[in-house]
C-alpha cells in the first residue's frame, strides 16, 4: 500500500529532526521572498513557491574558508578546516529542479579531484524532494528531461495529494532510513489521489539535436545576436542550481589569513583573464556562448548530463531579459 504522511506530521518530522540536532533546511519566508534557510521548527516550512535562490549553497557555499595560516616562530603554520564538524543535514521541500542538481554536480566535484568540502556535505545530507504543483511561465524542467514529479536526486520523494497529505517514496537507502527512524509519523493509504502537477507550456527540446548544432557552430552569428545585451552581471550563474564555477583567494597578510573558495561566473569579464593580460573570451558574446556550450555540450561530453534543470531562475533574474529557454528553442528549430 502507498505510504503517506500528513502535512502536520511532515512538520512534526522537522521538529523531531531539529531535536535530534540535525540541521533542517527548507523553503522559508524571509521578508518578501522565500529562501532555503535553516528551519527552527516545522511551522516555518513554506511550500507555496520556488525559493528565490537554489539549494546548491547547502553543499557549495557562496564563500567558505578552506584553510587558515599563521606565521609562528618564522614558520608558516597551516590549519585545515575540520570537515568532520559539518552537521548532518536534511534538505526538505526541494522541488525536482532543485533536488536534481546535487546529483548533477556530484560528477564534477568528484572527477579529477575530490572536493571534500562538497562531498562531505553531500555524504551528510538527505534530500526530501517534493513534486511541484506551482510552476510559472519561466519553468521548463520538462524540456530538459525532468518533470514536476521527477524523483532524480531525491532520497525521499513526496507527492502532494488532493487531501493535503503527501504520498512518500523512499528513493534511496538514505530516504528509507529517514522513514524507518520516524515510522510513527508515516501511515498507509489504500489509494492516493495526487494534486495536479505544475503545468509547463514549453515544448520538449531535443537535447541531442541542440548538442549537435552546438558542435558545429562554435562560431555563429547567433551568439552576438542573443547576448550582445548581456551586461555580464553573473546573476544567471549565481542563482542557478547547476552552475558551479569557483575561485580561490587568500585573504589576509603575509603573517596570517585564510584561503577562501567562492563562487565565480563565466559571465564576468575577467573570468578567463590570463596573467599575461590576454583574455580568450574578450567580448560578452563569447562568454555567453560558453554558458550555453558548457550546459548543453561540454558537461554532457564529459559526464553524460545536462547542466540545467529548467528551474527558470536565470530567466526571472536576468536584468536585460535574456531567456535561456527561448535560446534553446531557437537552436532546437534550426535545420542546419
Ligand atoms: S540555466 Fe537557468 S533554467 Fe537552467 S538550471 Fe540554471 S538557472 Fe535554472
Ligand atoms: S543575468 Fe543576464 S545580463 Fe547578467 S550575466 Fe546572465 S545573461 Fe548576462
Amino acid at each position: 500500500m502507498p505510504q503517506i504522511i500528513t502535512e502536520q506530521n511532515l512538520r512534526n518530522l522537522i521538529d523531531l529532526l531539529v531535536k535530534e540536532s540535525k540541521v533542517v533546511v527548507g523553503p522559508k519566508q524571509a521578508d518578501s521572498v522565500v529562501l532555503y534557510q535553516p528551519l527552527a521548527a516545522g511551522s516555518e516550512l513554506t511550500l507555496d513557491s520556488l525559493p528565490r535562490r537554489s539549494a546548491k549553497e547547502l553543499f557549495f557555499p557562496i564563500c567558505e574558508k578552506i584553510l587558515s595560516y599563521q606565521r609562528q616562530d618564522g614558520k608558516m603554520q597551516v590549519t585545515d578546516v575540520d570537515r568532520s564538524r559539518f552537521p548532518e543535514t536534511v534538505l526538505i521541500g526541494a522541488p525536482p529542479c532543485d533536488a536534481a542538481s546535487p546529483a548533477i554536480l556530484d560528477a564534477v566535484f568528484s572527477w579529477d579531484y575530490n572536493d571534500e568540502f562538497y562531498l562531505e556535505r553531500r555524504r551528510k545530507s538527505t534530500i526530501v524532494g517534493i513534486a511541484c504543483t506551482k510552476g510559472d511561465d519561466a519553468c521548463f524542467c520538462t524540456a530538459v528531461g525532468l518533470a514536476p514529479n521527477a524523483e532524480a536526486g531525491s532520497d525521499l520523494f513526496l507527492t502532494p495529494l488532493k487531501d493535503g497529505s503527501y504520498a512518500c517514496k523512499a528513493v534511496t537507502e538514505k530516504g528509507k532510513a529517514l522513514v524507518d527512524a520516524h515510522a510513527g509519523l508515516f501511515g498507509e493509504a489504500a489509494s492516493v489521489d495526487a494534486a495536479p502537477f505544475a503545468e509547463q507550456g514549453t515544448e520538449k527540446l531535443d537535447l541531442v539535436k541542440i548538442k549537435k548544432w552546438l558542435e558545429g557552430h562554435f562560431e555563429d552569428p547567433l551568439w552576438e545576436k542573443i547576448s550582445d545585451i548581456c551586461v555580464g552581471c553573473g546573476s544567471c550563474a549565481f542563482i542557478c542550481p547547476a552552475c558551479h564555477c569557483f575561485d580561490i583567494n587568500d585573504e589576509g597578510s603575509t603573517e596570517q589569513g585564510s584561503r577562501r573558495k567562492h563562487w565565480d561566473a563565466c559571465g564576468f569579464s575577467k573570468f578567463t583573464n590570463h596573467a599575461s593580460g590576454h583574455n580568450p573570451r574578450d567580448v560578452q558574446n563569447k562568454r555567453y556562448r560558453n554558458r550555453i556550450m558548457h550546459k548543453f555540450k561540454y558537461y554532457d561530453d564529459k559526464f553524460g548530463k545536462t547542466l540545467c534543470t529548467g528551474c527558470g531562475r536565470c530567466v526571472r533574474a536576468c536584468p536585460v531579459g535574456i531567456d535561456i529557454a527561448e535560446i534553446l528553442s531557437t537552436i532546437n528549430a534550426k535545420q542546419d
Side-chain angles (χ1 to χ4, degrees):
M1 276 204 287
Q3 205 159 31
I4 59 158
I5 186 167
T6 62
E7 183 184 335
Q8 186 53 55
N9 275 348
L10 181 62
R11 295 183 189 281
N12 293 343
L13 174 65
I14 294 169
D15 292 341
L16 272 178
L17 291 168
V18 170
K19 273 196 194 131
E20 292 166 16
S21 300
K22 298 206 168 58
V23 172
V24 185
V25 174
K28 177 179 163 184
Q29 193 73 40
D31 296 324
S32 58
V33 294
V34 172
L35 297 171
Y36 288 108
Q37 289 190 310
L39 304 174
S43 56
E44 293 183 344
L45 180 76
T46 174
L47 295 172
D48 291 337
S49 58
L50 182 72
R52 173 77 62 87
R53 300 208 306 262
S54 81
K56 77 176 172 193
E57 54 199 84
L58 212 58
F59 312 102
F60 171 39
I62 298 170
C63 182
E64 74 176 315
K65 184 167 82 175
I66 55 176
L67 60 82
S68 53
Y69 61 87
Q70 181 158 31
R71 196 185 300 276
Q72 274 175 353
D73 304 327
K75 284 192 178 159
M76 194 59 80
Q77 305 293 329
V78 173
T79 310
D80 287 326
V81 169
D82 182 2
R83 293 185 296 269
S84 68
R85 295 168 71 101
F86 289 176
E88 293 281 341
T89 301
V90 181
L91 169 62
I92 213 155
C97 57
D98 282 339
S101 78
I104 295 170
L105 294 178
D106 288 349
V108 70
F109 283 114
S110 58
W111 162 49
D112 58 343
Y113 176 80
N114 282 341
D115 184 325
E116 287 298 335
F117 288 84
Y118 173 90
L119 294 173
E120 182 66 3
R121 289 190 176 93
R122 280 287 280 144
R123 282 190 280 272
K124 289 184 167 167
S125 68
T126 302
I127 298 178
V128 180
I130 184 165
C132 178
T133 56
K134 296 186 176 71
D136 67 19
D137 289 351
C139 299
F140 60 99
C141 67
T142 46
V144 290
L146 287 170
N149 61 344
E151 297 163 1
S154 291
D155 295 301
L156 178 65
F157 192 71
L158 307 179
T159 303
L161 302 177
K162 283 186 177 157
D163 66 4
S165 57
Y166 301 89
C168 313
K169 180 176 172 192
V171 184
T172 67
E173 285 303 316
K174 275 186 184 176
K176 187 173 178 308
L178 182 70
V179 173
D180 289 349
H182 308 90
L185 296 176
F186 294 83
E188 288 185 335
S191 63
V192 291
D193 195 3
F197 299 128
E199 285 187 18
Q200 306 231 341
T202 325
E203 86 254 51
K204 186 108 181 133
L205 301 172
D206 183 342
L207 296 177
V208 174
K209 183 180 171 201
I210 288 172
K211 187 176 167 215
K212 197 157 184 296
W213 188 89
L214 293 175
E215 271 159 12
H217 295 84
F218 187 77
E219 301 293 348
D220 192 275
L222 179 79
W223 303 119
E224 218 169 309
K225 196 170 157 205
I226 59 173
S227 55
D228 233 18
I229 56 169
C230 172
V231 294
C233 66
S235 300
C236 51
F238 278 24
I239 210 159
C240 174
C243 281
H244 54 268
C245 287
F246 62 87
D247 204 355
I248 291 181
N249 287 110
D250 289 349
E251 286 183 8
S253 67
T254 52
E255 299 306 306
Q256 62 174 20
S258 60
R259 179 159 293 172
R260 291 175 175 267
K261 171 182 168 193
H262 53 85
W263 291 0
D264 204 346
C266 62
F268 291 157
S269 59
K270 300 281 190 237
F271 183 78
T272 48
N273 209 30
H274 297 179
S276 66
H278 171 64
N279 189 344
R281 295 188 207 135
D282 53 350
V283 289
Q284 203 59 33
N285 71 69
K286 289 185 186 172
R287 302 193 266 272
Y288 195 81
R289 174 182 63 195
N290 181 71
R291 178 170 174 77
I292 300 292
M293 288 280 184
H294 190 194
K295 289 186 173 297
F296 300 98
K297 174 175 155 41
Y298 305 149
Y299 204 84
D300 185 58
D301 283 343
K302 192 105 203 153
F303 302 117
K305 294 169 194 279
T306 300
L307 197 56
C308 171
T309 66
C311 71
R313 282 192 179 90
C314 58
V315 181
R316 296 180 203 101
C318 179
V320 297
I322 293 177
D323 183 332
I324 197 170
E326 256 177 49
I327 292 164
L328 293 173
S329 182
T330 301
I331 297 175
N332 198 48
K334 287 186 176 290
Q335 299 302 323
D336 64 331

